[in-house]
Structures are given as structure tokens and as C-alpha cells.
Amino acid sequence: MADIPYDRKEQFKQIESGLLPGEQIIAVYDAIGAGTGFLGLTDRRVIVQDKSFVGKRVAITSIPYSKISAVSVVSNKSFAGSFFSSGAIAVHVGTHTYEVEFRGDNKAHHVHNVILHHISR
């Protein structure tokens, strides 16, 4: 846990409690905005806490890297500046897109690069 970046200890513990044997956490980042609570990265999958269910229900969704078709940097401004001028990413899985906004573009950059690394092998 010492070298693994995370924003909130309780989110880290929640991801940790659901790990498969031998699975390693890469990072756990808090999300901002409606819908998503946090995003966790392991060496096997992306884990998204989705708060968009009716009746204040919450889902923890595991997305194997093999099921991710693309990852996007989401921005409401032009990319005239940096490629990572946004703190949001979108993960495309089949016909569904999970959009996650972070506090800081460095977290979005890290998540994007980890997912891209795993899906482009």
C-alpha cells in the first residue's frame, strides 16, 4: 500500500477486499461529478464504483482489460494545449461508456496510460 497512489483509504480498502488471488492494485482514484464514486486499477481489470443507480444503490463494476475497446481523454476545450489538458477519461466497453472525472489531469493521465498499456498489448 505504501507505493500505490490512492485518494481515500476507504476506497483503497474496498478495492483491496475484492481482489482475486495474486491480483495487484495499481492505483485507486476518487472521482468527482455525478455517477461515479471512484475508479480502481489493478493488473487485471478496471474497477468502477457507479452511483447512478435508482434508489441510491451503488454498483462496483469490474471491467477486464480484454473487454475495453478504447480509452478517451474527455475535454470541453480544444486540444491546442496539452494532450492531457483534462481531468476526465472515458472507458469504452461494448456499447457502454464509463466517463470518470478526477481531481487533476495527472490522475486522468495515469489512468489513461495504464488502460492503454493493457489494451494495446
Side-chain angles (χ1 to χ4, degrees):
M1 188 160 126
D3 297 344
I4 301 169
Y6 66 93
D7 291 325
R8 294 189 175 168
K9 192 166 191 169
E10 67 272 13
Q11 294 170 343
F12 182 93
K13 293 289 188 194
Q14 200 167 355
I15 296 284
E16 191 176 48
S17 71
L19 292 177
L20 299 168
E23 189 174 16
Q24 301 291 311
I25 298 174
I26 296 168
V28 181
Y29 293 130
D30 191 38
I32 58 176
T36 307
F38 62 82
L39 181 143
L41 298 168
T42 77
D43 56 350
R44 299 183 187 184
R45 58 191 161 141
V46 176
I47 301 165
V48 178
Q49 183 192 48
D50 191 344
K51 294 178 171 175
S52 64
F53 287 82
V54 177
K56 297 189 177 177
R57 293 182 303 162
V58 175
I60 303 282
T61 304
S62 293
I63 309 162
Y65 290 112
S66 63
K67 300 297 180 196
I68 298 172
S69 58
V71 60
S72 306
V73 177
V74 180
S75 178
N76 56 8
K77 53 186 178 267
S78 79
F79 285 104
S82 165
F83 187 81
F84 290 99
S85 57
S86 167
I89 61 140
V91 179
H92 308 279
V93 184
T95 58
H96 191 83
T97 299
Y98 296 88
E99 191 173 328
V100 184
E101 189 174 354
F102 303 99
R103 286 177 183 82
D105 54 2
N106 57 334
K107 293 173 185 174
H109 189 176
H110 184 223
V111 170
H112 175 276
N113 287 355
V114 168
I115 293 172
L116 188 60
H117 168 78
H118 283 281
I119 68 173
S120 63
R121 292 203 247 186

